[in-house]
Amino acid sequence: MNKRTRHFASDNYSGICPEAWAAMAEANAGHEVSYGDDIWTQRASDLIRDIFETDCEVFFVFNGTSANSLSLASLCQSYHSVLCHELAHIETAECGAPEFFANGSKILLLQGANGKIDPAEIERAVHKRTDIHYPKPRAVSLTQATETGTLYSPPELQAITQTAKKLGLRVQMDGARFANAVASLNVAPADITWRAGVDVLCFGGTKNGIAIGEAVVFFDHDLARDFDYRCKQGGQLASKMRFLSAPWLGMLKDGAWLRHAKHANDMAKRLEAGLKNIPGVKISYPVQSNGVFAKIPKPAEGKLRERGWHFYTGVITGEESRLMCSWDTTTEDVDGFIADLREISGQ
Ligand SMILES: *Cc1c(COP(=O)(O)O)cnc(C)c1O
């Protein structure tokens, strides 16, 4: 079996990008105040406020599951429900953490093509039952970029948030791949968050090239009340916080976050172009961020694995293989994968 150094299994297979690494090294220069009262956390939070062009509240946590769970818990009482797409990470990949941290708030599933919520589904779910025996809908959670690699365009996003607001629901965004969405849509981060009606964003760092961590960004200050206590109780208050926050400074200060995201998106486009030319391979969803979903004939899929390629099949939906690109994916990686698949397929 070949020893490969890079794979398409997940964007979290990648290492730490140079900008995040350098910032961590810089933060390692000596002693520093702990538990987030340090200069790095202050500067990184200020930079996030600059990037979003608003006075938002920022908290750095260890991972996306806690960012989603704790932010949803801050929107909901135990008798509330959260509406999300049936493929949403909070439903399929967080082991019930949102329900656990929100003390029993129920997740209600919505349908929609290409991994995106259909706004009519929000209306349906809210109007389906309005009696006291049913958990009261309180929030919509949507993922940008979605679990299937697609994006909500600004008008699509607005259709969701307007429906949500009309029905008295708060809006939480799972932005594990928010950078990929901003880079692909080429919009101001504010335009697809608070200006479009998003109340809280889980801004992903890990899949963008940071070692560990996500930023929970509250655009509504009232919702952030006591969130620091929630983080501490949930085991998410880092004592050496500067090592969670300094990498954000490295990523954001000169646009590395968007350069890396754009690169990963471009690699996904290149992969899609190569796969499209191989008979028997079918692309499953529009490729709009850094992931490609494709149906690859079973025997060929097995042979790719024999050649040392790691990727997931069927984890998100059905039979598709998921191929994720990272900040460090190279054109050689993509072309090598395509060349192997062509050869295996007898092309
Ligand atoms: C990766 C990911 C997360 C975060 O997952 P953790 O493993 O908890 O960091 C959240 N949402 C989506 C859509 C993801 O892909």
Side-chain angles (χ1 to χ4, degrees):
M1 192 168 108
N2 284 344
K3 180 78 193 93
R4 298 191 184 280
T5 53
R6 281 182 299 272
H7 295 279
F8 294 101
S10 178
D11 26 4
N12 64 18
Y13 267 44
S14 65
I16 305 167
C17 68
E19 296 84 356
W21 186 254
M24 266 178 124
E26 220 184 309
N28 197 32
H31 280 210
E32 183 52 79
V33 187
S34 54
Y35 294 112
D37 293 327
D38 61 277
I39 188 68
W40 300 97
T41 302
Q42 179 67 47
R43 286 168 64 198
S45 303
D46 286 343
L47 204 45
I48 289 178
R49 286 186 269 273
D50 286 352
I51 279 170
F52 284 94
E53 307 170 64
T54 189
D55 180 27
C56 44
E57 295 222 29
V58 182
F59 301 85
F60 297 97
V61 298
F62 290 104
N63 60 27
T65 298
S66 58
N68 280 330
S69 302
L70 297 173
S71 61
L72 287 169
S74 72
L75 304 185
C76 293
Q77 297 289 334
S78 57
Y79 50 84
H80 282 139
S81 55
V82 174
L83 314 185
C84 69
H85 193 276
E86 59 185 349
L87 299 178
H89 198 270
I90 60 166
E91 160 68 10
T92 62
E94 299 190 355
C95 194
E99 295 94 326
F100 175 76
F101 281 105
N103 298 312
S105 299
K106 192 173 164 76
I107 290 186
L108 301 178
L109 303 181
L110 311 177
Q111 315 237 313
N114 295 324
K116 294 189 277 188
I117 296 170
D118 173 354
E121 278 278 289
I122 301 174
E123 300 249 12
R124 185 194 59 76
V126 170
H127 292 134
K128 186 176 152 206
R129 289 272 299 274
T130 51
D131 59 272
I132 194 115
H133 306 286
Y134 200 63
K136 188 179 183 192
R138 171 66 176 162
V140 171
S141 172
L142 78 169
T143 313
Q144 175 82 312
T146 71
E147 287 76 5
T148 61
T150 56
L151 295 172
Y152 290 94
S153 68
E156 284 173 333
L157 181 60
Q158 260 151 27
I160 304 245
T161 56
Q162 276 164 14
T163 305
K165 299 284 140 147
K166 187 180 77 185
L167 298 167
L169 307 174
R170 294 295 197 163
V171 180
Q172 183 255 12
M173 180 177 276
D174 175 348
R177 299 189 180 89
F178 184 73
N180 302 92
V182 174
S184 181
L185 293 168
N186 198 18
V187 289
D191 287 343
I192 55 165
T193 54
W194 64 274
R195 274 195 208 117
V198 173
D199 297 304
V200 52
L201 167 72
C202 297
F203 186 1
T206 309
K207 285 172 182 153
N208 190 213
I210 281 178
I212 298 161
E214 321 279 292
V216 182
V217 182
F218 284 94
F219 301 109
D220 179 332
H221 287 257
D222 289 343
L223 296 175
R225 191 175 305 133
D226 292 345
F227 194 73
D228 44 354
Y229 287 90
R230 220 179 260 290
C231 286
K232 174 67 190 182
Q233 188 184 48
Q236 293 296 317
L237 178 65
S239 68
K240 291 188 181 176
M241 182 72 87
R242 68 186 185 280
F243 297 112
L244 289 195
S245 56
W248 283 90
L249 202 57
M251 292 295 270
L252 299 175
K253 70 175 185 215
D254 67 352
W257 69 296
L258 290 177
R259 277 199 306 281
H260 290 317
K262 181 179 184 309
H263 173 78
N265 294 348
D266 289 347
M267 291 300 101
K269 275 285 174 202
R270 187 181 181 101
L271 193 53
E272 180 198 21
L275 288 169
K276 270 186 167 166
N277 285 325
I278 302 177
V281 174
K282 194 173 168 297
I283 305 292
S284 307
Y285 301 105
V287 176
Q288 297 174 333
S289 59
N290 62 323
V292 182
F293 286 74
K295 284 200 179 115
I296 300 173
K298 274 279 165 217
E301 188 203 297
K303 286 192 184 129
L304 279 169
R305 292 190 213 278
E306 275 168 29
R307 292 190 183 202
W309 293 104
H310 288 206
F311 53 94
Y312 291 113
T313 301
V315 274
I316 309 259
T317 59
E319 295 290 289
E320 287 106 15
S321 293
R322 186 187 78 158
L323 303 166
M324 300 305 300
C325 297
S326 308
W327 65 270
D328 67 344
T329 301
T330 64
T331 53
E332 290 77 23
D333 296 330
V334 172
D335 298 350
F337 183 88
I338 295 296
D340 273 0
L341 183 52
R342 291 192 81 88
E343 200 180 288
I344 287 164
S345 312
Q347 295 299 304

